[in-house]
Amino acid sequence: MIHLYRQRGWWIAILSLVFGFPFSFSFLNNNHPQTQTQQSCAPCRRPLSYRTSNTPLHVLEQPPETSHDNNSQQLNITPLLQLTGPSSTPPSSSPSSSSSTPSLEERTRNFLNSKTVGSWTRQDFEEAQTCIQAWANRQSRRAALMVERIIHRVVQEPTFDQYNTAGCLDMALMYTCAVQGWANSWEKGAAAQRAEEILDTMQLRYMDGDERIQPPIECFNFVLLAYARSGLPDAPQQAMRVLEKLQDWHSAGQTTVVPNQESYATVLRAFAKTGKPEAPAHVKRLLQHLEELAQKEGYNSVRPNYLCHGAYIGALMDAMDRDYITGEEAAEEAEAYLLELLASPYPEARPDAWAFAQVLSAWSKSGSLQMLDRAEALMKTFEEYHKSSDYSERTKPTTSSYNCLIACYGRSFLWDKGEKAHQILNRMKELSGSGNDTSV
C-alpha cells in the first residue's frame, strides 16, 4: 500500500483526464510552481511544495464567528468568547430537563463555568473530551462553535501541557471532532473552509514535531464531507484539492495517513451532487477507471466498494429528481447496475440495503406500467440476497424499502391493491418479530 501511494499524483491525474479539470500536472515533479514556498530548515517536516493557509497555529484558541451575509462564504477568525473563569457568559441552553440526568448543555455549562482557570482536575479534562465528542455529532452551527469553545477552554488550563504530555488527552481526537462539527453543521462553504483550516493547523503542528496531533484519515474525510455538502459550484474540485494535498504530504513522508475507500466515496458523492445532467456519466466513468486500476495495474486498495458504487446510484436519483432523465430510465439503469454489482466477485463491491432502497424508490416514482412487477421482483431478490449474506447488517431490508413497495401497490391499477399493501404490512410485522431478519 505504501508503494502505491508513493506513486505521486496518479489519482489526481486520472480525474483530470476523465473530467477535464484544469489541474496542474506540475505536482508530478518535485516543484509545484503555483504553490512554491521557501525551503524549510532541516528539523522541520513542513512540505516544500504546499502553500498553507494563513491560519495561525493556535487557530482553535480563537473560535470563529461565521458571517450571516448570504453573499459571503467567508469566516471571520475572531474570538467567540473570552473564557476567563466563572464570570464568563454561559452557553445558551434549553430549559433544564426534569430528568435527574443532566443534559449535554448542563454538563457543558458545569465544567466550563463552575471552576476558575487553574482548578481543573483530570476528571474535568475527561468530561470535556466526552462533551466535545457529543457536540460534534450534533448537526448545527452552534454545536460546531461549542466544540471549539470547549477546546479553547481546555488549552487555557495551566495543567493542560501536563495532562497532554502524559497521554491523558487525545488532542488529535478533539481537533478531529472540531472538523466533524463543521462538516455536520451544514454551513455550506464557510463550514468547509473552517474545517480545512483546522486540518491544516493539525498538520502544521504535527510537522513541527507534535506526534500526538497527526490528523487521522477520519479528519481528512470530514473535510471532504464538508466540501461535498457545501453546495459550492466547484465542490468536487475542492474535494479533489484536499485529496491532492494528502497525496503530496504522504509522498513527501510528512504523514503516514493514506486515503481509504471512504475518501474516494466522498469525492464521488461530491461529483454526484453537482446537479448537472452529466453527473451520473462522470461518476460512472471515474468508477470504471478505478476498477481498471485495480484489475490491470494491481492497485487493489482503490477498488471501488459499495459506498463508491452507491454514489452512481445516488447520481441517477438526483438526475431523476431534476428531470434530466425520466423515472423509468433512472430505475432501469439503477437496477441494471445493482444486479451487476450483485454478481461481482468482490464482496465489498456488492450493494448494501441503501442501494436497494434507492432503486425501489425509483420504481415507485417512475410511473411505469411495469413498476409493480419490477419492484416485487427486486424485493424478492433483496430478501434472498440478505439471506445469502448470512443476514448481514449491511444488507438488512429496512422499513423504507417495504414502504416503496407499498407505494408501488398504491399507484398501480390492481383492483385488490389495498389487500396487497396490507399483506406487505403483515409481512413487515412478521419480520420485525423475528428479531434477526430486518430492521422494520
Side-chain angles (χ1 to χ4, degrees):
M1 180 177 290
I2 297 299
H3 173 74
L4 162 63
Y5 290 104
R6 291 192 181 278
Q7 306 303 313
R8 302 190 62 198
W10 63 266
W11 165 253
I12 308 300
I14 288 170
L15 291 178
S16 301
L17 291 172
V18 174
F19 298 110
F21 291 148
F23 287 121
S24 171
F25 284 87
S26 54
F27 67 84
L28 295 173
N29 302 317
N30 291 331
N31 297 319
H32 196 314
Q34 295 180 346
T35 59
Q36 195 71 21
T37 59
Q38 295 295 325
Q39 187 167 1
S40 59
C41 57
C44 181
R45 294 176 294 171
R46 293 187 183 180
L48 304 183
S49 61
Y50 165 59
R51 177 179 172 273
T52 61
S53 65
N54 294 324
T55 309
L57 283 182
H58 291 277
V59 63
L60 289 186
E61 281 75 331
Q62 298 293 340
E65 283 284 8
T66 52
S67 171
H68 289 279
D69 182 0
N70 292 332
N71 297 323
S72 174
Q73 294 283 357
Q74 299 300 314
L75 285 164
N76 300 317
I77 308 300
T78 55
L80 173 62
L81 290 171
Q82 296 298 330
L83 305 177
T84 57
S87 60
S88 299
T89 305
S92 59
S93 62
S94 56
S96 298
S97 171
S98 58
S99 171
S100 59
T101 303
S103 66
L104 178 59
E105 289 83 355
E106 291 171 334
R107 291 170 59 194
T108 304
R109 183 170 59 250
N110 287 340
F111 73 78
L112 278 181
N113 301 298
S114 63
K115 295 185 178 181
T116 58
V117 174
S119 63
W120 272 26
T121 64
R122 176 171 179 168
Q123 183 178 359
D124 294 317
F125 282 108
E126 291 174 350
E127 176 71 357
Q129 187 162 291
T130 301
C131 288
I132 284 173
Q133 292 176 268
W135 280 110
N137 287 317
R138 294 196 173 187
Q139 299 192 5
S140 70
R141 173 182 176 272
R142 176 173 174 262
L145 291 171
M146 192 60 69
V147 171
E148 294 206 29
R149 184 185 179 191
I150 298 173
I151 296 176
H152 176 51
R153 179 66 179 85
V154 166
V155 299
Q156 280 191 321
E157 278 297 305
T159 55
F160 163 73
D161 287 334
Q162 172 189 341
Y163 284 107
N164 188 35
T165 304
C168 301
L169 296 175
D170 189 344
M171 290 307 296
L173 172 63
M174 291 187 185
Y175 277 55
T176 298
C177 285
V179 176
Q180 179 185 1
W182 285 112
N184 288 337
S185 71
W186 296 93
E187 284 290 309
K188 299 185 178 180
Q193 177 190 340
R194 184 59 173 173
E196 187 174 1
E197 286 174 347
I198 298 170
L199 170 66
D200 289 347
T201 298
M202 296 175 68
Q203 181 66 21
L204 286 172
R205 288 185 178 181
Y206 172 69
M207 291 188 295
D208 280 339
D210 190 348
E211 300 284 345
R212 296 182 299 271
I213 204 167
Q214 178 180 210
I217 186 57
E218 290 80 9
C219 191
F220 285 92
N221 288 345
F222 282 130
V223 175
L224 295 174
L225 178 62
Y227 277 114
R229 291 174 169 177
S230 68
L232 296 173
D234 62 343
Q237 291 89 332
Q238 294 294 340
M240 283 299 310
R241 180 180 53 77
V242 174
L243 268 185
E244 178 186 0
K245 184 190 301 186
L246 173 56
Q247 175 68 32
D248 286 347
W249 282 339
H250 185 272
S251 298
Q254 291 151 349
T255 183
T256 61
V257 175
V258 295
N260 59 16
Q261 290 175 319
E262 177 63 28
S263 309
Y264 305 136
T266 304
V267 174
L268 286 165
R269 286 194 289 267
F271 283 109
K273 293 179 180 179
T274 58
K276 298 179 179 179
E278 62 272 15
H282 280 179
V283 174
K284 190 172 184 179
R285 285 160 57 192
L286 178 54
L287 284 168
Q288 290 171 344
H289 276 272
L290 290 175
E291 193 67 45
E292 289 175 3
L293 277 172
Q295 291 182 357
K296 298 180 180 179
E297 304 297 333
Y299 297 151
N300 292 323
S301 62
V302 304
R303 188 183 305 280
N305 66 355
Y306 69 96
L307 294 173
C308 298
H309 290 294
Y312 176 61
I313 294 177
L316 288 172
M317 299 304 101
D318 185 70
M320 177 186 69
D321 292 338
R322 297 175 185 272
D323 293 328
Y324 293 143
I325 56 177
T326 66
E328 187 169 8
E329 289 173 336
E332 286 275 6
E333 174 62 20
E335 183 178 350
Y337 194 74
L338 185 75
L339 296 178
E340 181 181 333
L341 295 178
L342 281 175
S344 172
Y346 307 104
E348 282 300 309
R350 294 169 192 162
D352 61 350
W354 179 88
F356 274 94
Q358 292 299 301
V359 180
L360 286 166
S361 176
W363 277 119
S364 70
K365 299 174 183 178
S366 67
S368 170
L369 294 177
Q370 57 178 337
M371 167 184 65
L372 183 56
D373 292 338
R374 299 292 288 270
E376 285 181 329
L378 185 60
M379 179 56 75
K380 183 178 179 181
T381 301
F382 191 4
E383 293 177 343
E384 292 174 350
Y385 171 56
H386 178 50
K387 184 178 179 179
S388 66
S389 302
D390 293 327
Y391 300 103
S392 167
E393 189 72 22
R394 182 163 70 87
T395 63
K396 182 185 294 185
T398 61
T399 301
S400 62
S401 303
Y402 287 98
N403 285 346
C404 291
L405 182 57
I406 292 174
C408 289
Y409 279 114
R411 293 164 183 165
S412 71
F413 296 100
L414 294 178
W415 64 271
D416 59 344
K417 58 185 180 182
E419 181 181 347
K420 294 286 188 181
H422 193 263
Q423 289 175 359
I424 297 298
L425 286 174
N426 290 334
R427 168 77 173 149
M428 292 170 68
K429 291 178 181 179
E430 292 175 4
L431 294 174
S432 177
S434 66
N436 64 353
D437 248 357
T438 66
S439 56
V440 297

